[in-house]
Amino acid sequence: MSKGMLIAFEGIDGTGKSSQLPLLAEYLRSLGFEVLETREPTTGVFGQEIRSLFQDRQRVSRERELELFLLDRRQHVEECILPALEQGKTVLTDRYYFSTAAYQGAAGCDPADIFVRNSFAPEPDLVLLLTMSATESIARIRDLRGETLNDFEQRDQLEKVAALFASFSHGCIVRIPAARPLVEVQFSIRDAVLQLLEKKGIECAG
Ligand code: TMP
């Protein structure tokens, strides 16, 4: 049994996961927790192969794409997440297996089958699902980040991904409306985490 806590940030692209995660990490450290910040796809061999697909998704079959995400996650779980949980750390991951069910589900794989194929991965204590419409997310990717949309961020895909995220009903998911100022979103995130700590009977220094 692991001793630490696992918290995953999920949501469509542009919802602010990568800005919110370090803010939560800093907050949890101020409460005395030892925190590991991590992300998927990883920087490992499979993660690098996945990133090379962002501008050229058609290069591999949908099944191979799914396999690469599963291989990357297996390595992430075995080499990073489980050891950190064993050491009692709080692990914050930017994306986890709900992204696979939503993104590869939107690409035509069966989301229920994807969840089954992820059963090697520990269930998170909390999933912070940042919600936003595809229209808002695309505007943010284009205007705020000044980026063009990669092959995983096309509108029709993102709409399907958002619909799949909306359909998930796992007990560990807390939905956080994310089309709001960064600070307000962060306060909602902290509220959800404090409720988790209370539920688990974990005392903190704050
Ligand atoms: P990000 O680093 O900007 O979050 O980009 C990761 C991209 O990879 C994002 O478009 C979502 C996609 N993705 C999947 O399609 N399946 C997965 O399992 C994961 C973790 C990410």
Side-chain angles (χ1 to χ4, degrees), residues 13 39 41 51 54 69 73 95 99-100 103-104 152:
D13 303 83
R39 68 178 307 168
R51 288 190 188 280
F54 286 175
F69 280 108
R73 177 154 313 111
R95 296 196 180 281
S99 279
T100 322
Y103 281 83
Q104 280 58 58
F152 285 60

Side-chain angles (χ1 to χ4, degrees), residues 181-201:
L182 182 123
V183 176
E184 278 181 35
V185 176
Q186 178 63 201
F187 280 138
S188 301
I189 286 173
R190 289 181 189 180
D191 266 357
V193 172
L194 290 173
Q195 279 181 37
L196 170 71
L197 296 179
E198 201 179 319
K199 200 171 89 190
K200 289 175 83 81

